[in-house]
């Protein structure tokens, strides 16, 4: 297993102005995510999980501290270089699917490939959707799909360009328990196959339990970290 | 709106756009019509969360086969009053700002028709009115036909012509 650091955070602080004053979302977080590993980040709503993911994915700039992706300091990179790695090297999954509503499932994937600078490969797009049980829905628009189906399309879109890092922010938040576990198994299987680095933010203990490595956040700080073997699937 | 956009097919009847019957087009032709001639402002989900405002507009231009020029993108965002958000991600924008960026995306393909489906439906009333004023003004400035759906009578009054759909029947208001 390749265990060189993929993403490292070094004393990262990020705060926001809020109605009641300043909210410190990340309060001096230092973490290393090894290449080719899967990690769950847990914690209650507002503990800083989403901000952590946004900082790692170059969607937010920290107030202080350093973030490195594949050894490169994000702060040293130009805006266009950051945009390039965000599109090509990262795959993002959010709680809401964020599909382009006037593009079909296949077209949503194809656009992601184009955006990442990868040659558009429609057979790859189709195959990804088929693997997620969406063979009958390739040419449907998001509005014609159920919530669970839309989220599966969003997952396929995040993976179709073979990103090195997959960042998922409460990816199963809108799914029922069975669909949620199924979706996580798919993400983990994909991660094992591609050796991408997978980081999933979740408040759901049953989702977190599927990961060998878990990091718990509370009030912007790491309060626990567990590393072990991924538990066998037991439903 | 879905019928006009070619997203649904009518059981009978025809829908003409510049003499072409949309109801008779196949999926590929409808997709081409949408990307080349129509700009769509959806109620939600129009912006990709991992792209900045200017990247989202460039994305829409690429989708429509229009060359994405930085100067045009900036001008488009500026016209809609969101140039200061050019390098911001959707998560950093207010609801009204996100809708304005969606409008910039819809206009980016230089469409002949903009379809807006309750585009301001999730905004507070004051922001919704202000945003709708901008959408109407930009459509007029660009000489684009704007077709929008709203449940709000005040919003409907901003259009040159309005129709009310009651019990599956469309009547001029």
């Amino acid at each position: 297993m390749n265990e060189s650091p993929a993403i490292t955070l070094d004393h990262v602080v990020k705060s926001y102005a809020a109605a009641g004053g300043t909210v410190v979302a990340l309060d001096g977080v230092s973490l290393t995510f090894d290449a080719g590993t899967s990690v769950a980040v847990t914690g209650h709503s507002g503990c800083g999980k989403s901000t952590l993911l946004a900082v790692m994915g170059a969607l937010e700039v920290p107030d202080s501290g350093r973030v490195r992706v594949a050894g490169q300091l994000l702060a040293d990179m130009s805006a266009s270089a950051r945009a390039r790695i965000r599109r090509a090297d990262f795959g993002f999954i959010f709680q809401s699917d964020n599909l382009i509503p006037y593009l079909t499932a296949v077209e949503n994937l194809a656009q992601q490939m184009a955006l990442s600078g990868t040659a558009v490969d429609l057979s790859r797009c189709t195959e990804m959707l088929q693997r997620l049980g969406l063979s009958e829905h390739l040419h449907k628009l998001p509005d014609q799909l159920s919530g669970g189906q839309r989220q599966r399309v969003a997952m396929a879109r995040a993976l179709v360009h073979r990103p090195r890092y997959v960042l998922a922010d409460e990816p199963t938040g809108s799914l029922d328990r069975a669909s949620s576990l199924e979706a996580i198994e798919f993400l983990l299987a994909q991660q094992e196959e591609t050796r991408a680095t997978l980081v999933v933010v979740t408040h759901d203990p049953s989702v977190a339990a599927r990961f060998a490595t878990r990091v718990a956040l509370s009030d912007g700080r790491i309060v626990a970290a567990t590393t072990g073997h991924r538990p066998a699937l037991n439903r | 709106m879905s019928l006009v956009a070619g997203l649904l097919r009518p059981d009978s009847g025809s829908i003409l756009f510049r003499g072409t019957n949309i109801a008779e087009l196949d999926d590929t032709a409808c997709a081409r019509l949408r990307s080349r001639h129509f700009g769509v402002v959806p109620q939600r989900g129009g912006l990709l969360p991992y792209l900045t405002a200017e990247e989202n507009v460039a994305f829409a231009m690429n989708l429509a086969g229009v060359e994405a020029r930085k100067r045009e993108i900036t001008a488009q965002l500026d016209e809609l009053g969101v140039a200061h958000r050019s390098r911001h991600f959707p998560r950093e924008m207010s609801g009204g700002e996100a809708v304005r960026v969606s409008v910039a995306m819809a206009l980016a393909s230089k469409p002949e028709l903009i379809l807006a489906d309750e585009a301001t439906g999730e905004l507070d009333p004051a922001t919704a009115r202000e945003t709708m004023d901008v959408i109407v003004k930009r459509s007029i400035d660009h000489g684009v036909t704007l077709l929008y759906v709203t449940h709000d009578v005040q919003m409907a009054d901003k259009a040159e012509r309005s129709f009310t759909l009651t019990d599956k029947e469309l009547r001029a208001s």
Side-chain angles (χ1 to χ4, degrees), chain B residues 16-74:
Chain B
L16 299 178
F17 174 74
R18 292 193 168 280
T20 301
N21 187 358
I22 297 173
E24 288 176 352
L25 298 179
D26 63 21
D27 286 347
T28 313
C30 277
R32 197 179 310 124
L33 185 78
R34 271 196 304 277
S35 65
R36 299 285 156 95
H37 300 284
F38 295 175
V40 180
V41 186
Q43 183 168 6
R44 66 173 81 85
L47 303 184
L48 284 171
Y50 44 89
L51 298 185
T52 61
E54 60 186 16
E55 289 169 356
N56 264 295
V57 177
F59 173 79
M61 287 174 138
N62 290 331
L63 205 59
V66 175
E67 195 186 341
R69 290 207 178 95
K70 172 102 176 153
R71 204 176 49 235
E72 279 182 36
I73 294 169
T74 308

Side-chain angles (χ1 to χ4, degrees), chain B:
Chain B
M1 290 297 266
S2 294
L3 289 167
V4 173
L7 300 175
L8 286 178
R9 298 282 188 284
D11 298 336
S12 61
S14 58
I15 302 163
L16 299 178
F17 174 74
R18 292 193 168 280
T20 301
N21 187 358
I22 297 173
E24 288 176 352
L25 298 179
D26 63 21
D27 286 347
T28 313
C30 277
R32 197 179 310 124
L33 185 78
R34 271 196 304 277
S35 65
R36 299 285 156 95
H37 300 284
F38 295 175
V40 180
V41 186
Q43 183 168 6
R44 66 173 81 85
L47 303 184
L48 284 171
Y50 44 89
L51 298 185
T52 61
E54 60 186 16
E55 289 169 356
N56 264 295
V57 177
F59 173 79
M61 287 174 138
N62 290 331
L63 205 59
V66 175
E67 195 186 341
R69 290 207 178 95
K70 172 102 176 153
R71 204 176 49 235
E72 279 182 36
I73 294 169
T74 308
Q76 198 71 261
L77 291 169
D78 191 32
E79 281 182 6
L80 287 150
V82 280
H84 63 296
R85 291 298 194 195
S86 295
R87 295 197 168 179
H88 288 218
F89 293 97
R91 57 188 277 131
E92 300 169 304
M93 299 172 200
S94 67
E97 287 169 342
V99 172
R100 287 170 190 234
V101 176
S102 285
V103 177
M105 289 173 73
L107 284 168
S109 60
K110 302 188 184 347
E112 291 166 73
L113 173 67
I114 288 188
L115 299 169
D117 188 358
E118 295 279 8
T120 60
E122 293 191 348
L123 307 179
D124 66 75
T127 309
R129 277 195 295 278
E130 195 185 316
T131 307
M132 201 65 222
D133 282 339
V134 173
I135 298 176
V136 171
K137 182 168 188 317
R138 297 323 305 166
S139 306
I140 293 169
D141 291 349
H142 285 260
V144 179
T145 303
L146 169 67
L147 176 61
Y148 64 95
V149 165
T150 180
H151 65 280
D152 184 331
V153 179
Q154 281 189 323
M155 290 290 183
D157 286 345
K158 295 180 187 297
E160 278 179 54
R161 296 165 72 198
S162 64
F163 299 86
T164 307
L165 190 60
T166 317
D167 292 333
K168 301 167 197 160
E169 214 172 284
L170 195 64
R171 289 195 181 139
S173 307

Side-chain angles (χ1 to χ4, degrees), chain A residues 8-233:
Chain A
T8 59
L9 291 91
D10 185 13
H11 294 95
V12 170
V13 175
K14 177 71 186 175
S15 52
Y16 297 101
T22 304
V23 173
V24 182
L26 296 177
D27 192 3
V29 170
S30 296
L31 263 178
T32 297
F33 295 90
D34 290 330
T37 57
S38 55
V39 179
V41 178
T42 62
H44 294 297
S45 180
C47 72
K49 306 187 297 287
S50 296
T51 305
L52 179 76
L53 224 55
V55 163
M56 288 167 64
L59 296 171
E60 294 268 9
V61 178
D63 301 338
S64 64
R66 291 154 184 256
V67 182
R68 283 189 174 81
V69 175
Q72 274 194 292
L73 260 181
L74 283 184
D76 282 352
M77 295 167 74
S78 65
S80 58
R82 274 201 303 273
R84 200 162 46 243
I85 67 157
R86 212 172 50 235
R87 296 176 194 185
D89 294 344
F90 282 93
F92 294 97
I93 307 167
F94 298 90
Q95 186 169 354
S96 62
D97 55 70
N98 296 297
L99 296 175
I100 302 293
Y102 45 89
L103 298 182
T104 63
V106 163
E107 288 168 351
N108 264 285
L109 267 61
Q111 285 310 316
Q112 176 59 44
M113 290 194 99
L115 195 62
S116 70
T118 314
V120 174
D121 177 353
L122 286 179
S123 60
R124 160 94 180 150
C125 298
T126 304
E127 185 202 325
M128 288 298 292
L129 291 167
Q130 283 170 339
R131 279 200 209 179
L132 278 155
L134 293 163
S135 305
E136 307 292 311
H137 308 289
L138 303 175
H139 303 293
K140 287 189 181 165
L141 292 158
D143 264 0
Q144 298 168 313
L145 301 173
S146 70
Q149 289 166 341
R150 281 202 300 272
Q151 192 59 346
R152 277 185 275 162
V153 177
M155 282 187 183
R157 181 179 64 175
L159 300 167
V160 72
H161 57 297
R162 299 184 173 86
R164 295 167 72 184
Y165 319 104
V166 179
L167 304 183
D169 191 354
E170 300 282 5
T172 60
S174 56
L175 305 180
D176 61 47
R177 188 179 150 75
S179 312
S180 156
L181 288 178
E182 204 175 299
I184 287 299
E185 289 313 313
F186 173 77
L187 279 180
L188 287 166
Q190 281 290 308
Q191 185 275 329
E192 279 190 3
E193 187 184 316
T194 62
R195 305 312 302 163
T197 302
L198 170 68
V199 182
V200 172
V201 154
T202 181
H203 69 279
D204 182 343
S206 63
V207 168
R210 301 298 309 134
F211 290 77
T213 305
R214 297 187 288 274
V215 174
L217 276 184
S218 179
D219 292 332
R221 293 180 182 203
I222 297 163
V223 290
T226 326
T227 304
H229 294 290
R230 185 149 81 86
L233 187 60

